[in-house]
Amino acid sequence: MTSTDSAQTPAKAPAKDPWDLPDVSGYVVGVLGGTGPQGKGLAYRLARAGQKVIIGSRAAERARAAAEELGHGVEGADNAETARRSDIVIVAVPWDGHGDTLKALREELAGKLVVDCVNPLGFDKKGAYAIRPEEGSAAEQAAALLPDSRVTAAFHHLSAVLLQDPEVERIDTDVMVLGEERADVETVQALAGRVPGMRGIFAGRLRNAHQVESLVANLISVNRRYKAHAGLRITDV
């Protein structure tokens, strides 16, 4: 290579800092299933951190009552209104209603960033066990049902007890975030980082969501044995 050739070779752009995350403070976050333990806890933590939050339920009255209980400016509405008014929509509904809920909201969720945190689990006398949906995972089912939405997966491993406890100042845990588009994943990582003590960590594409969802069955076993509210930390990151 001549010196002329070398001079014409474009400089390689520096690698993007994986911790250079966007400002998400201005987004409205909707929580479908916001009257359940996990959804209510997530709504409380995000609102307490200064995020504008709307919680959704099949019954608007129930959602409004829960919102009033949470305070911090949280509003309540039915699921369809919650989806329409939100920029980011967290899906925290029970697994047995997951598919039907999303089918009914396909139009309202079009163009939205959807964060699925549903864990397909079964329970028997031996404890919790993972269920594998036909699509592979709850997140992949959401992606199949919502072709016009940007689906990610996150917030699976959080203790609803800790999330809802006003005496707990920090939630010291990592949130594994999965998705197809880097910008969407980073937005969810940044949203997780709004909660003191919490980090959002990229954990792969949606095809890897099943094992993340399934790990909750193991955490339930840990919690029962040790009377704990276990979470996850990713080391060396």
Side-chain angles (χ1 to χ4, degrees), residues 19 26 35 42 45 50 55 65 72 76 80 85 92 95 100 111 125 149 151 156 164 170 172 186 189 192 197 204 208:
W19 296 112
T35 58
L42 281 169
R45 284 294 156 181
I55 59 175
H72 296 282
R85 292 178 56 195
W95 165 241
D100 289 342
K125 63 182 180 180
S149 303
V151 176
H156 301 90
Q164 294 185 75
R170 294 171 56 87
D172 289 314
E186 290 180 345
Q189 288 180 261
N208 292 322

Side-chain angles (χ1 to χ4, degrees), residues 130-147:
I131 296 171
R132 190 176 191 104
E134 181 180 347
E135 297 85 354
S137 64
E140 288 169 294
Q141 183 183 86
L145 294 173
L146 303 172

Side-chain angles (χ1 to χ4, degrees), residues 144-174:
L145 294 173
L146 303 172
D148 298 318
S149 303
R150 291 138 46 216
V151 176
T152 60
F155 301 116
H156 301 90
H157 307 132
L158 306 179
S159 163
V161 173
L162 295 182
L163 289 173
Q164 294 185 75
D165 187 346
E167 299 300 317
V168 175
E169 296 291 334
R170 294 171 56 87
I171 306 292
D172 289 314
T173 192
D174 288 333

